[in-house]
Amino acid sequence: MAYLNRNPADPSVPARVPVRMGLIGSGWMGAFHAESIARRVPGAVLAAIADPNLESAEALAGTLGTAKVTADAADILADPEIDAVVIASPARFHSALIGQAAAAGKHVFCEKPAGLALEELDAALATVDAAGVHFQIGFNRRYAADFQAAKKDLAAGIAGVPQLLRSLTRDPGTGSIGHAARIPAWTIFLETLIHDFDTLNWFNEGAEPVEVYAAADALVEPGLRDQGFLDTAVVTIRYSNGAIAVAEANFSALYGYDVRGEVFGSRGMVQAGRSTETAARRFTAEGTSADTPRLNVELFRQAYTDELVDFADEVRARREPTSPPAKSFPLTPGADDARRALAIALACIESVKQGTPVAVTAVAVR
């Protein structure tokens, strides 16, 4: 299928930006990334949108003034004007699209997870290596100001040698999950806790996850337990440096989005995360209260933008004789980070199935 050319650019107007990005997937997260690229990422332009749901893609393009729309991602991959792609399709397509985009010479930003199996992800990342393109995975917590501040302290040795680590994700909810029956199996590990796994790996830099023990259940929607649905989980991870980490998740926090991280070490403790959206506090006869975020794009709005700014900087640095902005600690999550977090998630699935600890045997850095 060819592009639907909605509003061709005026040839008399020079291109505003050097990095032209194509979006694959115009759903909830794809739409937010599209808005970020079009309106908040300096030096980038949203050049094309692909989605099998052409109506969705056209509506998004119309809102953002994007000229090229297609139902077929192959059009974007074959477009010589596209420098990079942002993959926000369903997770089951991620590895294949990463490999196809890299083979086409496109730099790749992919939402998490980068795949659903290590074999398929390894094949895709091998293509990335062979093509020499930049690859980035969407672990946005690294770009949140409080998590970056914690990482800076950890890199400076403020907490000493990590001994106990903790990361948690509690999604906002109402006490029930209306769409629970449509949530794919193992989502709590592959798409929710995978953020926590990357946070723990990032905070415990230089150590490898060795073993996991996971317990999970349907406590919000117990009626779906027999169908394999899981909405609550706790994971214990042992690392090669002896540190022990705990990650937990739940799909229905009545008080709003709750994302936190913590490292306790030989010299002290560092924490990241906040439970309120604003700094304002209310003190009334009913008690003390504050607003809380109810959407991921509220809690991590700036982080979602900054990860794409970083991506654009890295792509530009490969095209021009410049270097991306210097970083005081490892920031950009790449291929090894994507693989390491996925390996933990897959080990968690096996742990739940077996009811025992499981070695993370396939997690070695490539």
Side-chain angles (χ1 to χ4, degrees):
M1 176 176 176
Y3 287 126
L4 300 179
N5 205 353
R6 299 181 57 260
N7 51 337
D10 183 345
S12 67
V13 179
R16 295 187 302 109
V17 293
V19 179
R20 297 176 62 82
M21 298 187 187
L23 174 73
I24 301 175
S26 60
W28 169 258
M29 203 62 248
F32 189 80
H33 285 324
E35 181 189 351
S36 295
I37 296 166
R39 296 175 175 170
R40 295 188 291 275
V41 179
V45 64
L46 181 63
I49 300 172
D51 195 305
N53 184 342
L54 193 57
E55 183 178 355
S56 169
E58 284 199 276
L60 180 61
T63 299
L64 299 175
T66 302
K68 296 178 178 179
V69 180
T70 178
D72 191 349
D75 291 330
I76 285 181
L77 302 184
D79 189 338
E81 295 185 352
I82 300 296
D83 303 305
V85 297
V86 173
I87 299 171
S89 62
R92 63 184 181 276
F93 301 119
H94 286 185
S95 286
L97 286 170
I98 291 168
Q100 292 164 16
K106 310 301 184 187
H107 303 286
V108 181
F109 177 98
C110 184
E111 263 302 328
K112 50 72 191 170
L116 299 180
L118 289 176
E119 296 79 8
E120 67 179 31
L121 178 56
D122 284 344
L125 295 180
T127 305
V128 169
D129 283 346
V133 297
H134 175 60
F135 172 81
Q136 185 172 327
I137 184 72
F139 288 140
N140 61 294
R141 283 181 206 180
R142 295 189 180 207
Y143 296 87
D146 46 352
F147 279 80
Q148 281 199 30
K151 176 62 177 179
K152 183 177 180 180
D153 283 347
L154 293 169
I158 298 298
V161 179
Q163 296 172 350
L164 296 171
L165 299 93
R166 185 185 186 203
S167 183
L168 64 84
T169 300
R170 296 172 185 164
D171 292 342
T174 62
S176 65
I177 307 170
H179 64 293
R182 302 195 302 272
I183 296 176
W186 309 114
T187 289
I188 199 162
F189 297 118
L190 292 167
E191 299 196 39
T192 300
L193 278 164
I194 200 163
H195 277 297
D196 299 272
F197 301 151
D198 179 68
T199 296
L200 294 169
N201 292 339
W202 190 47
F203 279 178
N204 196 19
E205 184 181 350
E208 293 293 338
V210 174
E211 182 184 78
V212 305
Y213 177 67
D217 204 342
L219 302 182
V220 182
E221 293 289 349
L224 296 176
R225 182 180 294 114
D226 292 342
Q227 300 179 30
F229 175 72
L230 301 171
D231 53 43
T232 307
V234 177
V235 179
T236 301
I237 307 170
R238 289 186 173 271
Y239 281 89
S240 58
N241 63 350
I244 302 171
V246 174
E248 66 169 77
N250 182 280
F251 286 166
S252 188
L254 299 183
Y255 57 89
Y257 236 112
D258 189 359
V259 174
R260 287 175 274 151
E262 176 181 292
V263 178
F264 173 88
S266 59
R267 296 177 59 185
M269 181 173 67
V270 173
Q271 293 181 326
R274 64 189 188 279
S275 59
T276 58
E277 173 70 6
T278 69
R281 300 290 187 274
R282 305 182 190 94
F283 299 85
T284 68
E286 288 74 34
T288 303
S289 65
D291 291 334
T292 56
R294 300 287 163 161
L295 297 172
N296 55 345
V297 294
E298 293 175 348
L299 182 61
F300 289 116
R301 182 179 181 84
Q302 191 60 48
Y304 280 126
T305 299
D306 288 348
E307 66 180 351
L308 290 173
V309 170
D310 186 28
F311 178 62
D313 287 343
E314 293 285 349
V315 171
R316 188 178 303 105
R318 292 181 178 232
R319 295 180 52 191
E320 302 171 2
T322 59
S323 298
K327 304 177 179 73
S328 59
F329 49 78
L331 175 62
T332 307
D336 292 332
D337 302 304
R339 191 182 193 279
R340 186 179 287 108
L342 178 60
I344 296 176
L346 294 173
C348 288
I349 293 172
E350 288 304 310
S351 179
V352 171
K353 289 178 178 178
Q354 298 175 22
T356 63
V358 170
V360 187
T361 56
V363 74
V365 175
R366 300 178 315 119

